[in-house]
Amino acid sequence: MSLNLLKQIFFCFALMFPSFELNAKKRSYGILNQLAPELGLKDWIDGKGKKIDPIKLSDYRGQYIYLYFFQDWCPGCQKHGFPALRKLTNALDSTGKIKFFAIQTVFEGRWFNTRKKLRANQEKHNVYIPMAHDDGGESGERSILMGKYRSGGTPWTVLIDPSGKVIFNGFHIDEDKLISFFLKSQQKM
């Protein structure tokens, strides 16, 4: 296919869907420096796989909160995201300064990315933290949190400061720098 033909196809597509070209250029993800919205999810399990009451971020004001959005079938989640999460929880969970939560944010593959995958991922990756399943609720279209947090997909990380403000959101976080930050801040106390 020639480059000229591809340009014509793109031009026709942009004419049929005028917002396509604008959205492709202006797309921005995340809610950096904004107050983190409540999660609003009902389907949670604890670190032992038992169903628990919904987690509310407001219950953890005064602490840092680390949210990890994943899908079971996401290669980046399995290869990079969960190992980073395990490293962080192993190093920082006992400090009491940060709470960790993982949410399966389903935006495709509902038949595969099911509630049962929560416990399976806890065990597979030795990450025994509260996890939620977000399949879009009644609409069943797309993860609720992906909309609220404007995530770009998975794996997606959100770090919330003690006042409730989002101070990091993105595909990759440098876990070594985060561990160093928390351990140094703990030594100063």
Side-chain angles (χ1 to χ4, degrees), residues 30-34 64-67 149 155-161 165-174 178:
I31 57 169
L32 194 61
N33 297 318
Q34 296 179 34
Y64 284 89
I65 299 170
Y66 185 100
L67 301 177
Y149 283 85
W156 190 261
T157 298
V158 178
L159 184 62
I160 302 167
D161 76 5
K165 189 190 310 182
V166 174
I167 58 172
F168 177 85
N169 52 195
F171 286 107
H172 302 287
I173 193 165
D174 186 328
L178 189 61

Side-chain angles (χ1 to χ4, degrees), residues 80-92 124-127:
H80 302 290
F82 272 112
L85 182 61
R86 181 179 56 247
K87 185 175 185 177
L88 287 164
T89 58
N90 287 344
L92 301 174
K124 177 179 180 181
H125 298 286
N126 295 309
V127 177

Side-chain angles (χ1 to χ4, degrees), residues 29 78 94 113 168 176 181-183:
Y29 296 111
Q78 299 296 322
S94 64
N113 295 298
F168 177 85
D176 292 324
F181 167 78
F182 277 104
L183 294 180

Side-chain angles (χ1 to χ4, degrees), residues 60-132:
Y60 298 94
R61 279 284 155 90
Q63 293 179 291
Y64 284 89
I65 299 170
Y66 185 100
L67 301 177
Y68 173 62
F69 297 176
F70 74 96
Q71 289 197 101
D72 183 70
W73 73 355
C74 164
C77 299
Q78 299 296 322
K79 188 174 181 183
H80 302 290
F82 272 112
L85 182 61
R86 181 179 56 247
K87 185 175 185 177
L88 287 164
T89 58
N90 287 344
L92 301 174
D93 208 19
S94 64
T95 67
K97 293 191 166 273
I98 184 166
K99 293 301 289 182
F100 293 92
F101 304 107
I103 299 106
Q104 182 167 238
T105 52
V106 180
F107 59 97
E108 56 191 7
R110 269 178 202 11
W111 53 272
F112 190 85
N113 295 298
T114 63
R115 287 169 179 79
K116 291 180 182 179
K117 302 295 181 163
L118 298 179
R119 184 63 180 160
N121 278 293
Q122 283 179 329
E123 292 175 340
K124 177 179 180 181
H125 298 286
N126 295 309
V127 177
Y128 300 102
I129 62 172
M131 291 189 176

Side-chain angles (χ1 to χ4, degrees), residues 41-65:
L41 301 175
K42 297 175 184 172
D43 197 1
W44 285 89
I45 62 170
D46 67 10
K48 297 177 182 175
K50 305 287 184 212
K51 189 165 179 56
I52 58 172
D53 290 335
I55 300 288
K56 292 182 186 175
L57 296 180
S58 58
D59 291 342
Y60 298 94
R61 279 284 155 90
Q63 293 179 291
Y64 284 89
I65 299 170

Side-chain angles (χ1 to χ4, degrees), residues 23-39:
N23 288 338
K25 291 179 182 175
K26 293 185 179 183
R27 184 168 299 195
S28 65
Y29 296 111
I31 57 169
L32 194 61
N33 297 318
Q34 296 179 34
L35 284 178
E38 273 299 346
L39 302 173

